Amino acid sequence: LTKIMRNKNYNKKFIVTANEILESLGVKNKIYYTKLKTALYSLSQTNYRFNNSLYSSSISGIIKDLILTHIMDVRIITRENEEYSEAEQFSDKRIKEIYQITFTDDFYNNIITKGYLAFDSELLLKIESSIARSLCIRFFLFLYSHHIQFL
């Protein structure tokens, strides 16, 4: 989902279809459409416990407090919803529902301020040398901090 968020201009709240999520995962089997809804529900209902691991830009360091939070809120929007009936995702008549994903403040602020979305995870996983991987991370952070997109 963070990969999709990056493609949607780093917005905290964005709308996505099941197709977009499954394509970003590289999944083509139709059985995953039904499992996706259950997975999104589980992600939105699971509480996470962070202790000395979240970064705060306002204090320029790690938050020492214990934070209990969930990562995101999920709203399932159907075609019948008047507010979203004209959403571009519904232009494809086969799509019956879309998902509005909203990342929580703690999670969103942490990944945005630390620049984690700047990393190309697929590229990093292919790099075997830890030194080369570290240099690549520094390079991505530099590009991210200077608002330069890397193709």
Side-chain angles (χ1 to χ4, degrees):
L1 289 172
T2 55
K3 186 178 184 181
I4 294 169
M5 182 176 88
R6 180 178 59 195
N7 295 339
K8 295 192 180 265
N9 299 320
Y10 301 100
N11 291 324
K12 180 180 172 182
K13 181 190 291 187
F14 58 92
I15 294 177
V16 66
T17 65
N19 281 344
E20 289 176 286
I21 295 171
L22 295 176
E23 282 176 14
S24 74
L25 294 171
V27 175
K28 295 183 184 355
N29 193 331
K30 291 183 181 183
I31 194 169
Y32 290 107
Y33 282 96
T34 55
K35 294 180 184 235
L36 177 64
K37 196 177 206 176
T38 305
L40 287 174
Y41 177 79
S42 295
L43 272 174
S44 68
Q45 296 300 310
T46 304
N47 287 317
Y48 296 90
R49 180 182 168 143
F50 297 100
N51 193 12
N52 293 330
S53 60
L54 288 180
Y55 180 83
S56 169
S57 58
S58 61
I59 64 171
S60 298
I62 300 294
I63 300 171
K64 302 288 184 204
D65 303 335
L66 172 66
I67 298 175
L68 300 171
T69 186
H70 59 283
I71 290 181
M72 66 181 167
D73 295 316
V74 177
R75 179 178 176 188
I76 300 170
I77 302 167
T78 60
R79 190 177 288 281
E80 288 78 38
N81 184 315
E82 298 279 329
E83 184 182 354
Y84 291 92
S85 62
E86 298 298 318
E88 72 177 72
Q89 289 87 350
F90 283 136
S91 63
D92 183 343
K93 300 297 182 199
R94 297 171 294 176
I95 295 176
K96 294 180 178 38
E97 61 187 22
I98 55 178
Y99 305 101
Q100 179 180 310
I101 308 294
T102 307
F103 286 105
T104 59
D105 288 338
D106 290 320
F107 186 73
Y108 179 78
N109 291 337
N110 195 56
I111 59 176
I112 291 297
T113 55
K114 290 299 282 180
Y116 292 125
L117 295 178
F119 303 140
D120 182 344
S121 58
E122 293 169 14
L123 175 64
L124 290 176
L125 289 172
K126 292 178 184 175
I127 300 173
E128 293 180 25
S129 165
S130 61
I131 294 170
R133 193 177 318 107
S134 179
L135 288 172
C136 188
I137 288 171
R138 290 188 185 278
F139 174 70
F140 281 132
L141 281 174
F142 172 80
L143 292 176
Y144 179 78
S145 66
H146 289 83
H147 305 290
I148 301 170
Q149 258 191 325
F150 181 72
L151 300 177

